[in-house]
Amino acid sequence: MRDRVHADWDPRDESVQQDQIAAYDDLRRRCPVAHSDYLHWSVLSHSEVRRILEDHSTFSSAVSRHLSVPNGMDPPEHGDYRRIIEPYFSAANMRDFEPRCREIARELARELATEVELIGAFAQLFSLRVQCAFMGWPASLHEPLRQWTLKNHRATLAGDRAELAAVATEFDGYIRQLLDERRAQGEAAPDDATSRLLRERVRGRALTDEELVSLLRNWTVGELGTITASVGILAHYLAEHGELQRRLRLEPALLPAAIDEILRIHGPLISNRRITTREVDIGGRRLAAGERVSIIWASANRDEAVFGDPDAFRLDRDPADNLLYGAGIHVCPGAPLARLELRLVMEALLAATEQWSLLPGRTPLRARYPGSGFSELWLAVTPAR
């Protein structure tokens, strides 16, 4: 018999928002599949999250009333679009983009003040500039996209459907203008990711504007939010762990593994959604068909059953256990780009400084759901000589 649905917790409660990671740890230990009015069924354990990721026939990604390419699609439709997207993140494309990405990171790192609010003055700027550079978008979009990201976050937190629709329409306008400009340029259009997408075909036809806008919206939202959060989380962790900061300056080859481990400890992405296609038991709870499910990445990646002490920093963990970029058919196609950007930005920060630490008297402000990381992070920076 199906559980009588009641609220096990309130994701928007102030006690949760003050420290989401600690709140999810507590909830996972006492209620690994928890119900709330806001997030519906939240799944917090590593094993059950892996089960959901591998059973897309029971846990569908088609959760939205609106087109979502390819995040909100199931097989076989998902595969048709995924095959278009993956080549954009090939090893060759990453090598081609690396010099420009490194240049952006170094320029911003050299401009750091000795006392800096890192999120607004560095992390957001880095994510905006590299996203626009990768897509071939003009610098004039940097500030509009930054403001759009803030509005989208506020509307998502408030659950304001009208505002969410208005924010989506605003973004669509930016993208449609870019597409129209490329079409008008014809053969003179720059040969970049945006122009190439206009030439892609799915099932023997060109992508529609609706599909292109949805795809680009998903890329941009994922890129701007998670890269900004990741840079803040990494900088904060190294500010609190000076010995590791010094070690990474001496052994930069350790950066890729260290970045993945720090972002396991404090996930930059809180959750993703699914919907059940049939009645199913999970984590001791019975869910009916049509129930909405939230995968809590920031909890699953700290599950003691897999990682022991979730706060223990270790470079010898099995990478297959780390769900930083997901798993299964929906594993993040942009993971190679994210890893490149985060490695280069941390290399630039470490090279441009002798050290950084938390600025006394300025307590870091944690981001509120659906964000992760920090909304404000003040650092004291000693520039390199």
Side-chain angles (χ1 to χ4, degrees):
M1 185 175 180
R2 178 186 171 191
D3 281 355
R4 182 175 66 85
V5 179
H6 64 279
D8 299 305
W9 69 308
D10 181 0
R12 290 183 287 187
D13 188 271
E14 190 59 30
S15 64
V16 174
Q17 295 302 314
Q18 286 176 358
D19 189 341
Q20 293 186 74
I21 303 302
Y24 301 147
D25 282 350
D26 174 69
L27 185 62
R28 180 182 64 254
R29 292 162 185 154
R30 60 184 173 83
C31 190
V33 177
H35 189 268
S36 68
D37 294 333
Y38 183 51
L39 292 181
H40 308 281
W41 293 100
S42 293
V43 180
L44 297 106
S45 70
H46 191 279
S47 61
E48 297 292 26
V49 165
R50 287 300 295 256
R51 174 187 167 192
I52 289 171
L53 298 176
E54 293 164 4
D55 186 3
H56 47 78
S57 63
T58 301
F59 300 95
S60 170
S61 295
V63 297
S64 176
R65 295 175 292 122
H66 305 289
L67 180 67
S68 179
V69 180
N71 308 34
M73 294 176 168
D74 297 319
E77 185 180 37
H78 170 266
D80 293 334
Y81 292 89
R82 180 81 182 214
R83 282 187 286 275
I84 292 172
I85 293 168
E86 286 182 344
Y88 287 81
F89 305 101
S90 68
N93 281 342
M94 296 304 97
R95 285 193 298 272
D96 289 344
F97 184 59
E98 183 169 344
R100 178 61 182 136
C101 186
R102 179 180 288 110
E103 180 184 22
I104 293 169
R106 287 177 173 176
E107 287 175 357
L108 288 169
R110 284 195 295 264
E111 295 170 0
L112 284 178
T114 54
E115 295 185 358
V116 61
E117 196 291 287
L118 195 81
I119 304 305
F122 183 84
Q124 288 179 353
L125 298 179
F126 174 73
S127 64
L128 283 162
R129 290 186 189 181
V130 293
Q131 171 68 3
C132 288
F134 184 72
M135 296 306 304
W137 295 350
S140 59
L141 268 182
H142 291 170
E143 184 58 20
L145 283 177
R146 189 179 75 84
Q147 293 298 328
W148 175 84
T149 302
L150 296 174
K151 285 186 282 188
N152 185 62
H153 176 84
R154 289 194 295 267
T156 302
L157 178 61
D160 187 333
R161 291 188 176 182
E163 183 60 22
L164 282 168
V167 169
T169 299
E170 178 184 345
F171 181 86
D172 293 359
Y174 297 138
I175 300 305
R176 290 181 189 277
Q177 181 177 345
L178 286 167
L179 298 178
D180 289 344
E181 290 172 354
R182 298 303 172 89
R183 291 190 178 107
Q185 290 172 308
E187 294 184 0
D191 183 22
D192 54 29
T194 302
S195 294
R196 290 194 291 275
L197 278 170
L198 283 168
R199 299 193 292 268
E200 297 287 4
R201 302 184 70 80
V202 61
R203 300 175 184 172
R205 62 166 177 80
L207 293 169
T208 66
D209 274 13
E210 184 184 14
E211 290 167 334
L212 286 165
V213 169
S214 174
L215 192 159
L216 290 170
R217 187 192 305 119
N218 282 331
W219 278 11
T220 304
V221 173
E223 177 78 5
L224 300 183
T226 54
I227 293 298
T228 297
S230 294
V231 172
I233 291 166
L234 293 167
H236 178 267
Y237 191 89
L238 294 182
E240 290 199 319
H241 298 81
E243 184 176 342
L244 178 60
Q245 188 184 144
R246 289 188 290 274
R247 184 182 179 190
L248 293 177
R249 281 195 174 85
L250 296 172
E251 301 179 77
L254 297 178
L255 266 173
I259 289 168
D260 279 9
E261 175 67 351
I262 293 169
L263 298 180
R264 178 201 64 77
I265 293 170
H266 187 162
L269 179 65
I270 297 295
S271 69
N272 276 142
R273 299 181 298 164
R274 297 291 191 273
I275 190 168
T276 57
T277 61
R278 62 178 179 85
E279 189 174 282
V280 62
D281 290 319
I282 186 164
R285 312 298 290 265
R286 177 163 293 184
L287 280 61
E291 294 278 15
R292 295 188 175 273
V293 175
S294 297
I295 296 169
I296 308 296
W297 304 108
S299 168
N301 248 0
R302 293 175 54 82
D303 192 335
E304 294 85 350
V306 175
F307 301 105
D309 178 358
D311 289 311
F313 176 89
R314 288 175 44 189
L315 294 176
D316 62 346
R317 296 189 187 276
D318 183 349
D321 290 333
N322 193 332
L323 300 177
L324 175 60
Y325 295 101
I329 65 168
H330 285 283
V331 67
C332 178
L337 177 61
R339 284 193 163 106
L340 173 72
E341 292 172 353
L342 293 175
R343 173 175 63 82
L344 294 178
V345 76
M346 295 313 296
E347 284 179 359
L349 280 172
L350 290 166
T353 61
E354 284 191 3
Q355 69 170 0
W356 68 78
S357 57
L358 298 180
L359 186 65
R362 302 301 294 265
T363 303
L365 297 182
R366 295 181 181 272
R368 303 175 72 87
Y369 185 90
S372 184
F374 302 89
S375 58
E376 186 175 289
L377 177 63
W378 282 92
L379 297 180
V381 177
T382 304
R385 296 177 184 177

